[in-house]
Amino acid sequence: MMAWKSKSSRTTPLPPDWYRRRAIVLKRDGHRCMHIREDTGQRCTERATDVDHIGEPDDHRIHMLQSLCSWHHRQKTGSQGGRQVRKKRVRPSHPGLIPE
Ligand SMILES: [Zn+2]
């Protein structure tokens, strides 16, 4: 199963040695998800199964990759690709209410 390749909206192709890089990153991170929870500052305790690009999607350098559990990886890639779920539109309310 090449799950990371299937039906992906990713436009940047992974390098030929991606599998090797992925293994290196997972080993470096101890197969633990590197995601830090924003609310608690604690690191996710899930086992990492995926490797994620920290910076640009075409930056495949080892130090620009991090291990993530599948859930957090899905969260992140879900918000990067076209469909943004948590997009907040800041709309000024009552622009006319400026006291003189
Ligand atoms: Zn996680």
Side-chain angles (χ1 to χ4, degrees):
M1 284 284 281
M2 297 198 289
W4 71 88
K5 254 184 142 181
S6 66
K7 60 176 180 179
S8 173
S9 59
R10 157 190 303 282
T11 52
T12 312
L14 294 169
D17 64 342
W18 173 249
Y19 192 82
R20 190 178 62 86
R21 290 169 189 263
R22 184 179 171 278
I24 291 170
V25 172
L26 284 170
K27 190 176 179 185
R28 180 198 66 192
D29 295 338
H31 289 261
R32 288 201 293 170
C33 178
M34 290 288 117
H35 181 86
I36 308 286
R37 284 181 56 159
E38 286 173 18
D39 52 348
T40 61
Q42 302 276 308
R43 203 168 70 184
C44 173
T45 54
E46 291 298 311
R47 185 172 181 276
T49 52
D50 295 9
V51 170
D52 173 60
H53 293 81
I54 297 170
E56 296 300 313
D58 60 348
D59 191 346
H60 307 298
R61 288 173 295 172
I62 297 299
H63 71 275
M64 290 304 290
L65 300 170
Q66 65 179 346
S67 304
L68 287 180
C69 68
S70 58
W71 193 85
H72 276 125
H73 193 213
R74 201 157 55 231
Q75 293 293 109
K76 195 177 170 192
T77 54
S79 62
Q80 278 177 339
R83 292 173 292 168
Q84 293 206 347
V85 185
R86 294 186 300 161
K87 190 175 187 179
K88 282 183 197 165
R89 185 181 297 180
V90 181
R91 189 187 303 184
S93 56
H94 306 297
L97 289 181
I98 302 168
E100 295 192 37

